[in-house]
Structures are given as C-alpha cells and as structure tokens.
Amino acid sequence: MGKLAKSYAIQLPAIALISSILFGAALLFALSLQLNELAEKQGKQLSQTLAHQLAKAVRDPLIHRDNLSLQVELDELITLEGVQRAAIYDVNQHLIAEAQRRMTRGATQHQQRSPVSIETATVGYATVSLTESYMTQGTTRVLITAGAIWAMFTLALVLLAYLTGKNLSERIARLNDQLPGNDEDKPLEELATLEHRLVPLLAIPSRKPVPQDNKPVALLGIACRNLARLEALVNREHFESLMKQLDQLIERTLHLYGGRRLHGEHYNVYIEFLGSDNEDDQTMNAAYCAAALLRLSGAPLQGEGVTVDLAAAVFPGISHITGSTLLDEQTQAQQLQELRDLLEKSEKGEILLNQATSDHPSVDELDLTPLAEGSPFCRINGFGEDGENLLARQLAVLSHH
C-alpha cells in the first residue's frame, strides 16, 4: 500500500516529542525559579553569618586601631571559597581596611553588613560580599542533571512512541492490504483509509435474517436466461463446474447483503430480504444485491469461455407465519408466482420493480423509468452518485474474495 504521509510511526513520536519538550521546559523553568530563590536565600544567610563572625573577630583590633591585625583577619576570610570581598568601616562609614579577590567582570554579589559593638556602643561595621556564582553553581549542577534526565526520558519516550506507531501502522497496513479499495483519492491518514475501506462491509448487515411473523420482505428473483442453452452446449462436468462458481458468487453476495436463498426452479434464483417495518431498507438491499449479481455474474465464468445472462426483479411481500407448514408454503408460493410473472418481463441485464416496490420510500434515490407509458412496472437505470459509489466499493469487496 505504500507509506502514507500521516503514518503513526511519524505522528506518535512527533506528539511525544512536542509533549515532552513542553512539559520539560515548564518543569525546568519552575525548578530554576525555585533553585534561584533558594540560592538567594542561602547567599544572604551565609554572608550575614560571615559578617557577624568577622565583626566579633575584629572588635579588639578595631578598638586598638591595629590595622595589621585587621588586614590579617580580612586576608584569612577571603581565602574561603565564595568570599569575594571583606572590609572594615568605622562608625562614620569610612573604610579602614579591606581585602578582595580579583572580581570577575559582570559578577554580582551578596553583600551583608554587621555592626562591631562594645556593650551598647557601635565602633564600626564589618561587611562581607559573596560571589553569586558560588551560590548558583550548585543550582547549575542540579539543572544540568535534571536536563540530562529529561533528555534521556524524552529519547526513551520518542523511541517507544516510534516503535508503537510503527507496529500500529504495520498492523493497519496489513488490514488495508487485505481489503479491496481504489487507491485514487484515498485519505492520507491510515485509520481513515481503513474506515473508508470498511464502509462497504458495514453499510449492509452481513448476518442472515431470521424469519419473523408479519414482517415486510422484499423478494428478489434472478433469471438465468441462457443456462438451458449452455447445458446443451458443454459437457456435464464442465456445466456443473460453472454452476458451482455461480453458487459461490450468490453465497458471497448474500453474506454481504443479508439475504436468504429460497427454493428455486426453472433456472431461477429466489432470495428473501426481511425488514422490521415498511420504512426498512430490505427493498434497497434487494436492489443492490441484484445489481451486484448482474455485474459480477460474468467475471468468474469468462475464464471458462462462457458468460451467464442474468435478469432480475424485486417484489414486495409479507413474511406471515401461521404455524401451518402447508399454509406457509402456499403463501410463499403465491408470492413467488407473482415474482415469476414480473421476472418474465425482464430482459438481460435489467432489474424490474412493480408499482408497490417503486413507491417504497427507500427507493427514492433510484433512477427509475417505466417499461412503457402507463405500465405498472419500471426498471432501475442507476442508483444515484452516492449509491453508485457505495455499490462500486461493495463490488470491490465481492471481487476481492
């Protein structure tokens, strides 16, 4: 069937990738905000603690104006990782001593100040500044780790989606390859293609109807016009082989349209379609079944060098069960006799309807013409555009088997 533009092997990985990117971006953004807030808080606490400890350590040197001792304390402090600058100010905010690392260009700092006090008097201030990179390097590692985990998760998710989509596409493709259908104007999406090809199977019920009392029916008669001549022309074995092929075609068609084959005679085939009420589609089922048999009857037999000439007629009836086999058979025989009378008026390739059938609401879409002016009988010329499209797909199903 070929690769389709909207294969699930492409769709599912794309959906998985987009979903993972959106979810991952939102998750990393939220995590980044939380970690930055935590780093800011920890930076302030650490710089405040160091400033407080520095204020205690330099109290005596500051009182005695021992600048050397002050510088030693400051130099020792900036050896700690993350400390960018330490300084001592007098009570008037004049710088007394400071020590700092070479500042990285553009780096921001956490700066906190703590008073140097003697009893209740303040004699100066100690300040400590931290580099922001020191506090955020842990945050960066967490984000990199989370990003790596997310990337691996995304890769695994996309791979799983690809394998799942590929398996699903292959299974749908196998089903599509086993179903008949025209590749022209087919939907690009695989599931839509499958649904499109299943329409002929779902349009008509495939189960055989069970006879019910007082239910409307449509009787379909198929006349095999040239069987008597064929029987005389070919040998018996060849003729029986042809009839088996015809029976198989009828059986396949009835399985699709839901008809029940009745006892036939004189090379006529009789089929009954049951409905639940007068608005049911048993009449249309019979008409579609007749058209399918007429169009396909030559196909299985042409390989043998012969064709079967068929004509059809559709007649309304009632399935009336009295409980008496004799009476029920008599009622059915009367209906079949009326069907035979109508069938005798049909020519090769025609499908005839009587007046009651042509007035049935379900056949409004059919293209009908009377056999003659004032005639109570009419022939089916076509099924309309939608009907012909449906019939074409149904014929494809029947031909595929």
Side-chain angles (χ1 to χ4, degrees):
M1 184 178 63
K3 295 182 178 180
L4 299 179
K6 295 184 179 179
S7 169
Y8 285 111
I10 298 176
Q11 289 185 19
L12 294 187
I15 293 174
L17 180 60
I18 294 174
S19 301
S20 182
I21 289 176
L22 294 177
F23 176 77
L27 181 62
L28 291 178
F29 178 72
L31 182 61
S32 176
L33 290 180
Q34 294 295 322
L35 290 176
N36 288 337
E37 182 179 350
L38 180 60
E40 182 73 19
K41 182 178 180 180
Q42 289 179 339
K44 290 180 179 181
Q45 290 177 346
L46 180 57
S47 58
Q48 183 64 53
T49 300
L50 291 175
H52 183 67
Q53 292 176 349
L54 178 61
K56 287 183 178 181
V58 301
R59 183 172 54 185
D60 290 341
L62 182 60
I63 294 173
H64 296 94
R65 293 294 178 172
D66 186 355
N67 292 341
L68 180 60
S69 297
L70 289 176
Q71 193 65 47
V72 170
E73 291 290 344
L74 295 177
D75 290 340
E76 287 182 355
L77 183 59
I78 66 169
T79 60
L80 297 177
E81 185 180 1
V83 178
Q84 176 67 35
R85 180 178 180 273
I88 303 298
Y89 296 86
D90 63 15
V91 71
N92 295 318
Q93 303 293 333
H94 295 145
L95 180 65
I96 298 174
E98 72 170 339
Q100 67 177 14
R101 298 173 186 268
R102 181 178 297 176
M103 181 180 291
T104 303
R105 186 177 182 181
T108 57
Q109 301 175 340
H110 294 285
Q111 179 174 306
Q112 294 295 324
R113 185 178 69 170
S114 180
V116 181
S117 303
I118 300 175
E119 294 180 354
T120 59
T122 300
V123 296
Y125 298 93
T127 63
V128 176
S129 301
L130 302 179
T131 60
E132 175 140 10
S133 60
Y134 172 70
M135 301 307 303
T136 58
Q137 61 184 351
T139 301
T140 303
R141 285 195 296 268
V142 172
L143 289 176
I144 292 175
T145 302
I149 294 175
W150 167 77
M152 290 187 291
F153 170 76
T154 300
L155 181 61
L157 182 63
V158 171
L159 179 60
L160 178 62
Y162 169 74
L163 294 177
T164 302
K166 181 181 179 182
N167 179 261
L168 181 61
S169 293
E170 289 176 349
R171 293 171 64 182
I172 294 178
R174 284 196 295 270
L175 290 176
N176 283 330
D177 288 340
Q178 294 175 25
L179 293 172
N182 189 354
D183 288 340
E184 296 180 0
D185 300 327
K186 68 182 180 183
L188 291 179
E189 200 270 321
E190 294 164 321
L191 191 57
T193 301
L194 179 61
E195 292 173 343
H196 179 73
R197 293 190 174 189
L198 285 175
V199 167
L201 298 176
L202 301 177
I204 302 296
S206 60
R207 58 182 177 86
K208 291 186 178 181
V210 178
Q212 303 178 52
D213 187 22
N214 296 326
K215 298 298 180 181
V217 300
L219 297 175
L220 170 62
I222 302 293
C224 305
R225 296 299 190 198
N226 63 336
L227 288 192
R229 183 171 60 85
L230 287 178
E231 186 176 13
L233 291 177
V234 301
N235 60 59
R236 189 64 186 178
E237 183 178 358
H238 190 190
F239 183 74
E240 291 178 355
S241 175
L242 295 177
M243 293 305 97
K244 289 179 182 179
Q245 294 181 52
L246 183 59
D247 285 337
Q248 291 171 0
L249 172 62
I250 294 174
E251 183 65 26
R252 292 200 309 272
T253 307
L254 295 188
H255 181 74
L256 177 62
Y257 291 98
R260 181 171 69 95
R261 188 169 179 176
L262 304 176
H263 177 72
E265 58 181 357
H266 305 300
Y267 297 118
N268 291 342
V269 177
Y270 302 123
I271 302 170
E272 182 182 56
F273 294 86
L274 294 178
S276 57
D277 53 54
N278 288 330
E279 300 300 325
D280 203 7
D281 59 356
Q282 70 276 356
T283 302
M284 286 298 294
N285 287 358
Y288 275 111
C289 182
L293 286 174
L294 264 60
R295 298 187 190 188
L296 293 176
S297 60
L301 308 181
Q302 286 177 349
E304 304 291 341
V306 296
T307 59
V308 177
D309 298 335
L310 301 183
V314 179
F315 184 83
I318 293 293
S319 175
H320 181 64
I321 308 299
T322 63
S324 168
T325 302
L326 181 62
L327 292 178
D328 294 342
E329 290 178 345
Q330 181 65 21
T331 300
Q332 187 178 78
Q334 292 175 354
Q335 294 179 349
L336 291 179
Q337 181 58 52
E338 295 181 66
L339 176 61
R340 278 194 297 272
D341 294 341
L342 176 60
L343 192 58
E344 289 178 357
K345 297 178 174 61
S346 63
E347 300 293 336
K348 171 186 173 182
E350 287 185 338
I351 304 175
L352 299 188
L353 306 176
N354 66 350
Q355 185 65 48
T357 307
S358 62
D359 291 339
H360 196 280
S362 65
V363 301
D364 289 343
E365 62 190 68
L366 299 183
D367 178 15
L368 305 176
T369 56
L371 289 182
E373 185 175 355
S375 173
F377 310 113
C378 59
R379 65 171 61 88
I380 298 177
N381 298 319
F383 292 85
E385 182 178 356
D386 293 338
E388 289 292 340
N389 290 336
L390 177 60
L391 180 60
R393 294 196 295 271
Q394 292 168 348
L395 291 175
V397 171
L398 293 171
S399 301
H400 189 72
H401 288 80

